[in-house]
Amino acid sequence: MPTAQTETTSAIDLNWVRAQFPSLSQTVNGQPAVFLDGPGGTQVSQRVIEAISDYLRQNNANSGGAYATSRKTDAMIASARTAMADFLGCAADEIVFGPNMTTLTYAMSRSIGRELDAGDEIVLTHLDHDANISPWHALEERGVTVRMADIHEEDCTLDMEDVARQITDRTKLVAVGYASNAVGTINDVQEIVRLAHARGALAYIDAVHYAPHGPIDVRALGCDFLVCSTYKFFGPHMGVLFGKWELLQRLQPYKVRANTNAIPNRWEWGTLNHECIAGIGACVDYLADLGRHVNPSVASRRAAILAAYAAIHKHEHELTTALIRGLLEISGLKLYGIRDPQRFGRRCPTVAVRISGFTPLELAKRLGECGIFTWDGNYYALNLTERLDVEKDGGFLRIGIAHYNTAEEIERLLAALKEIVAA
Ligand SMILES: Cc1ncc(COP(=O)(O)O)c(C=O)c1O
């Protein structure tokens, strides 16, 4: 996260931001809803809603037809691809659309697996979501060995020495998350890519959790693949994969014969979710608009997206500081992950806690009754909840801040938790 920019970045205009998201004005049991469930999926802006319904109203067609609505559909998909290329810092033909990150990763693991032999190795980490674990374990049926890099239990950061140890000359792929969807840790992805490449292995990055919180630059990272899900960063329920052009060209997808061999279409099978792709273009444009709102002098869409993330980071950093300070005052509360404000540049505003005497589900239910939306359980970060031995006791309570959250909402959450504990 760009901590260095925090001092100079313009503050986010929360009134402007919140006015873009119609769902934020809902109430539950007479109380304004507080959306602290962003890691499970964020809310969408009005322009995303409009883009989806406008597409269905005016341009709904299959692609590749010789008539107006089909041509408009093709143009819309091309434009959304360019938007995602600006978002990730790559070329438009390196963008692959798919139903979600998990499905895209299974597709890629099957294709990469065609090039692997018995004895080849894949390195994963205990910090990862299962969508970046099980698709790679599936290759064990080809005789591939999976090795797991461990974490430092005390702050839930990756043990980089262990990462380096696990990567050997037999390693063919290192798959790692950019940030943990459970405890918020941001990994040193650039260094992990470097370690992978030094041994001739591919680097596959799961940026699903990082994408709503920090800017992504696939060229600067040097990764071979990076996946994200637009529903986690204010867009519709879809997944997006970046693949280096030469890899999308070299690897062999399992595809129908009628699919062309053109890049990236050979990786997009069947009919895509066109209305959601229309929403993806609008979602990137929302972020660019936010960037222009905080910094009207930005020139390109990419520069506007970067300006948006600088403002998002500053705001989320302030809320995270207040949240963690308040949580640590609650008796019986254990926080999993980085808690030292000096090191907040290495974490997302996603906070996992347990409170003695309560299961995470009980806490989430009680908060839900007050209109405060959090999550409980393992959120598919199953390796981590097992590694920390909390799986059998209901996992964690996860509080996930997004840039549309307010300081008042954090105060409401803290007050509600304190009341639950005191009762
Ligand atoms: C870090 C991380 N990776 C992967 C996924 C899976 O994403 P999708 O639902 O798009 O398959 C999630 C979903 O919560 C996630 O948080």
Side-chain angles (χ1 to χ4, degrees):
M1 282 183 139
T3 36
Q5 294 175 12
T6 301
E7 301 310 317
T8 51
T9 305
S10 315
I12 214 161
D13 176 352
L14 260 191
N15 287 334
W16 182 88
V17 166
R18 289 182 67 87
Q20 312 297 311
F21 290 85
S23 58
L24 296 182
S25 59
Q26 288 175 75
T27 57
V28 176
N29 296 334
Q31 311 231 45
V34 178
F35 291 86
L36 293 169
D37 61 340
T42 49
Q43 300 307 300
V44 299
S45 68
Q46 180 62 29
R47 61 187 301 163
V48 170
I49 299 166
E50 278 166 17
I52 293 172
S53 54
D54 285 353
Y55 173 78
L56 290 171
R57 202 177 296 117
Q58 290 166 15
N59 298 327
N60 192 15
N62 214 322
S63 61
Y67 56 95
T69 50
S70 182
R71 288 201 185 102
K72 283 188 190 164
T73 294
D74 288 337
M76 178 279 291
I77 294 173
S79 149
R81 213 181 284 286
T82 306
M84 275 311 299
D86 283 351
F87 183 80
L88 295 176
C90 60
D93 58 2
E94 293 176 307
I95 295 291
V96 177
F97 290 121
N100 51 54
M101 177 276 184
T102 308
T103 309
L104 284 166
T105 301
Y106 264 110
M108 226 11 113
S109 81
R110 277 201 303 274
S111 297
I112 290 173
R114 293 176 114 170
E115 293 196 342
L116 301 186
D117 296 314
D120 287 341
E121 295 186 356
I122 292 177
V123 175
L124 313 174
T125 90
H126 279 294
L127 212 46
D128 272 83
H129 186 285
D130 210 55
N132 204 24
I133 291 190
S134 287
W136 307 114
H137 269 294
L139 299 180
E140 284 170 329
E141 67 191 16
R142 300 181 65 90
V144 169
T145 301
V146 171
R147 296 168 70 117
M148 300 299 295
D150 206 359
I151 57 162
H152 297 294
E153 210 173 310
E154 64 281 8
D155 61 1
C156 298
T157 55
L158 269 188
D159 179 343
M160 288 298 285
E161 284 176 16
D162 196 38
V163 174
R165 240 190 329 269
Q166 300 299 340
I167 302 173
T168 71
D169 290 340
R170 286 188 298 276
T171 309
K172 293 290 183 270
L173 178 114
V174 179
V176 65
Y178 206 141
S180 158
N181 69 315
V183 290
T185 314
I186 297 173
N187 296 321
D188 189 349
V189 173
Q190 203 155 5
E191 175 60 7
I192 295 169
V193 172
R194 194 191 67 74
L195 290 169
H197 286 174
R199 298 292 192 140
L202 296 173
Y204 190 96
I205 309 302
D206 169 6
V208 171
H209 190 67
Y210 184 74
H213 306 297
I216 298 170
D217 184 338
V218 290
R219 297 274 184 257
L221 291 176
C223 55
D224 300 289
F225 300 96
L226 181 140
V227 259
C228 57
S229 308
T230 49
Y231 73 96
K232 308 282 192 182
F233 57 94
F234 325 112
H237 288 93
M238 274 197 69
V240 178
L241 177 139
F242 152 80
K244 276 185 182 159
W245 193 90
E246 53 276 23
L247 286 166
L248 295 181
Q249 180 75 37
R250 188 191 84 202
L251 291 166
Q252 289 303 311
Y254 290 87
K255 67 173 191 63
V256 294
R257 282 173 299 162
N259 241 148
T260 72
N261 249 322
I263 308 293
N265 310 77
R266 67 203 294 252
W267 294 97
E268 293 174 342
W269 316 313
T271 305
L272 292 170
N273 187 331
H274 298 163
E275 53 273 31
C276 281
I277 294 178
I280 290 177
C283 144
V284 173
D285 281 336
Y286 158 73
L287 284 165
D289 273 1
L290 171 59
R292 290 186 198 102
H293 196 76
V294 293
N295 184 354
S297 67
V298 290
S300 66
R301 178 162 57 186
R302 173 84 184 154
I305 292 167
L306 297 181
Y309 274 110
I312 285 173
H313 172 70
K314 183 173 155 61
H315 177 62
E316 291 183 347
H317 180 84
E318 285 163 13
L319 295 190
T320 309
T321 306
L323 172 65
I324 292 185
R325 192 192 307 122
L327 286 173
L328 294 176
E329 287 168 4
I330 297 175
S331 69
L333 181 141
K334 178 166 180 190
L335 190 147
Y336 294 80
I338 295 171
R339 56 169 65 199
D340 173 5
Q342 301 298 320
R343 297 176 61 219
F344 280 178
R346 300 297 328 160
R347 68 142 46 251
C348 287
T350 302
V351 181
V353 297
R354 291 183 57 84
I355 302 182
S356 60
F358 300 89
T359 65
L361 176 60
E362 280 164 354
L363 293 170
K365 270 189 183 162
R366 298 278 289 277
L367 290 170
E369 283 156 17
C370 313
I372 302 172
F373 306 161
T374 57
W375 212 278
D376 70 282
N378 62 36
Y379 354 102
Y380 290 21
L382 189 54
N383 267 71
L384 184 66
T385 51
E386 285 175 348
R387 171 68 182 77
L388 296 173
D389 201 25
V390 294
E391 180 60 23
K392 61 182 186 334
D393 300 318
F396 314 107
L397 175 77
R398 179 178 67 185
I399 303 153
I401 292 172
H403 74 293
Y404 46 61
N405 288 123
T406 67
E408 293 71 35
E409 289 179 329
I410 300 304
E411 279 167 27
R412 249 185 79 195
L413 167 91
L414 290 169
L417 274 180
K418 283 177 185 164
E419 208 177 302
I420 293 167
V421 171

